[in-house]
Amino acid sequence: PSRTFHGNNRLLTSQIISYYESINQGKKELPEYFNFASDVLDEWAQLEKDGRKPANPAFWWVNDEGQEVKWSFQELGSLSRKAANVLSEACGLQRGDRVVAVLPRVPEWWLLNVACMRAGIVLIPGTSQLTAKDISYRLQASKAKCIITNDTLAPAVESVLPGSQFLRSKLIVGQASRDGWLNLKELL
């Protein structure tokens, strides 16, 4: 049995647990490599594209002012591939490299999560309430090669950058450009 959400059948928790139990009991084969972005998101995008799945939002964000951002699975897949290219090419990151993201929960936060999964980059999320000391500690302890933040939080981040020996690139999420920072929106 499954419940319907906008015409789609979704697995119930009991079905998901049953699936994982069957893997543990050796009844289903566990893939050697798994990437959520390509193995799940791209599969759903293909089903959507082929008309075998109705177009429902893969992502739906609404802020306090009522502004919305909706992405289908195809759109999220395409945007996450572009964002993964930004991280790999413009920021020079490789599989296994670490990125610290100090962002409020804006759409780009989720986009960068999926992009990091897609590229094999380790995302270290940080809340927008971090102090400069907190940011400095996270950069040094993680040996992050890139930091991502927005216009509002950039001054706190910049105050600790001189002591960040591993950092190679800085990516800003926002409309404005900032000296020495790559702008995600421009690069996308």
Side-chain angles (χ1 to χ4, degrees):
S2 61
R3 65 183 173 88
T4 302
F5 177 74
H6 293 291
N8 282 333
N9 291 330
R10 302 274 187 186
L11 293 176
L12 294 173
T13 304
S14 62
Q15 290 173 305
I16 294 169
I17 291 170
S18 173
Y19 179 79
Y20 286 108
E21 284 176 354
S22 66
I23 289 174
N24 285 336
Q25 295 169 3
K27 294 177 184 173
K28 291 199 185 286
E29 191 174 320
L30 187 63
E32 184 177 353
Y33 300 102
F34 175 79
N35 184 303
F36 175 80
S38 58
D39 294 336
V40 176
L41 179 64
D42 290 351
E43 180 65 28
W44 281 51
Q46 189 61 49
L47 291 172
E48 200 176 76
K49 184 178 180 182
D50 295 344
R52 294 184 287 152
K53 176 188 170 314
N56 279 321
F59 177 80
W60 192 348
W61 176 87
V62 182
N63 70 6
D64 293 339
E65 290 82 42
Q67 295 171 317
E68 291 185 357
V69 173
K70 276 187 194 180
W71 294 325
S72 68
F73 285 94
Q74 288 182 68
E75 291 168 324
L76 181 56
S78 174
L79 285 169
S80 68
R81 279 188 288 282
K82 289 178 182 180
N85 286 337
V86 167
L87 294 171
S88 299
E89 295 170 13
C91 296
L93 301 174
Q94 299 175 4
R95 180 174 295 281
D97 284 345
R98 295 172 188 93
V99 173
V100 173
V102 183
L103 287 170
R105 297 308 179 249
V106 292
E108 292 83 1
W109 189 87
W110 282 276
L111 175 61
L112 289 162
N113 269 272
V114 176
C116 284
M117 286 179 216
R118 187 176 292 284
I121 296 167
V122 179
L123 180 80
I124 302 165
T127 174
S128 56
Q129 296 172 335
L130 293 176
T131 66
K133 185 177 177 182
D134 296 328
I135 295 167
S136 177
Y137 173 77
R138 281 165 174 76
L139 286 172
Q140 291 309 105
S142 69
K143 300 178 182 175
K145 293 186 178 178
C146 178
I147 188 155
I148 305 168
T149 194
N150 66 3
D151 302 329
T152 307
L153 301 168
V157 170
E158 285 179 331
S159 71
V160 301
L161 293 183
S164 302
Q165 62 194 32
F166 303 101
L167 201 62
R168 302 288 176 257
S169 57
K170 303 174 291 187
L171 191 61
I172 198 150
V173 173
Q175 300 298 338
S177 57
R178 192 170 188 93
D179 285 342
W181 288 76
L182 300 168
N183 185 294
L184 178 65
K185 288 188 188 277
E186 291 174 7
L187 293 169
L188 286 177

